[in-house]
Amino acid sequence: MADLGKNPLLAKVLFSEHVRFLDEIVLAVEDFSVKKIGALIVLEQETGLKNIAETGTPIFGEVSQELLSSIFQTSSPLHDGAVLVSPDGRLVAAKCLLPLTPDSSLAKSYGVRHRAAVSLAEASDAIVLVVSEQTGRVSMARNGRLDPEINIKAVARELKDLYQTKARKSLLRHPRPDSFAGERRSA
């Protein structure tokens, strides 16, 4: 196995394959924004969200623009609530219920989706994307805060930067399969 630290091109290719789901999410969110289709997409991070997944309908599928579009069409029985995407990029569940934030400083103009996004971002390290069905605006909640109007290019850049940083950290934490770290070597 090649040493990823010494082959940045290989590391970039492997990273691109690993986070292809981000491109699918960005394409779907952009489409939802243009068509004013309301959506709530939760990207699970380190904090486990099994309790959230259990409130929804299990999906366990590959994230694709088509699947997300099918879920968030108003005629779909799964369109209300959030979809939950695992850290490895699998769509775990749809129609998940999120708690609503009691934060009274959040503008009254924000609806249930935005309040749910902020609430989850306050209680976990999840990243939550929201598309308003009234305005088509895209918002991102994380670290307990809401970025109420973020353009799609910024969403794509921030998600890729985050996942790229996580991938680098993961490579540093885990010994390579061809490594003999931790094994005794005879002299």
Side-chain angles (χ1 to χ4, degrees), residues 1-35:
M1 178 176 219
D3 184 348
L4 294 179
K6 293 181 182 174
N7 190 338
L9 182 59
L10 178 60
K12 188 173 185 173
V13 168
L14 291 174
F15 171 74
S16 295
E17 288 297 314
H18 175 68
V19 294
R20 185 174 296 162
F21 73 96
L22 294 176
D23 293 332
E24 296 293 320
I25 290 170
V26 169
L27 287 170
V29 168
E30 184 173 34
D31 185 54
F32 298 158
S33 177
V34 169
K35 295 177 180 173

Side-chain angles (χ1 to χ4, degrees), residues 118-129:
V118 170
S119 181
L120 190 59
E122 290 169 337
S124 74
D125 59 352
I127 297 168
V128 187
L129 299 174

Side-chain angles (χ1 to χ4, degrees), residues 3-96:
D3 184 348
L4 294 179
K6 293 181 182 174
N7 190 338
L9 182 59
L10 178 60
K12 188 173 185 173
V13 168
L14 291 174
F15 171 74
S16 295
E17 288 297 314
H18 175 68
V19 294
R20 185 174 296 162
F21 73 96
L22 294 176
D23 293 332
E24 296 293 320
I25 290 170
V26 169
L27 287 170
V29 168
E30 184 173 34
D31 185 54
F32 298 158
S33 177
V34 169
K35 295 177 180 173
K36 294 185 179 177
I37 295 172
L40 191 55
I41 300 171
V42 176
L43 298 163
E44 181 180 23
Q45 300 300 304
E46 299 295 321
T47 305
L49 297 176
K50 183 179 178 186
N51 59 329
I52 299 296
E54 289 173 347
T55 68
T57 301
I59 301 289
F60 302 111
E62 186 174 325
V63 173
S64 69
Q65 179 183 3
E66 293 81 10
L67 179 57
L68 291 169
S69 293
S70 295
I71 289 169
F72 286 111
Q73 290 302 314
T74 55
S75 60
S76 167
L78 300 175
H79 85 278
D80 281 331
V83 296
L84 176 61
V85 178
S86 68
D88 66 352
R90 304 292 292 173
L91 202 152
V92 176
K95 200 174 182 172
C96 297

Side-chain angles (χ1 to χ4, degrees), residues 15 19-30 43 127 129 138-140 142 147 150-165:
F15 171 74
V19 294
R20 185 174 296 162
F21 73 96
L22 294 176
D23 293 332
E24 296 293 320
I25 290 170
V26 169
L27 287 170
V29 168
E30 184 173 34
L43 298 163
I127 297 168
L129 299 174
V138 177
S139 302
M140 181 186 290
R142 62 194 162 139
D147 187 344
I150 185 168
N151 73 49
I152 200 66
K153 288 182 181 175
V155 169
R157 185 178 52 251
E158 288 191 37
L159 291 177
K160 286 194 176 177
D161 287 350
L162 172 72
Y163 280 82
Q164 200 164 30
T165 299

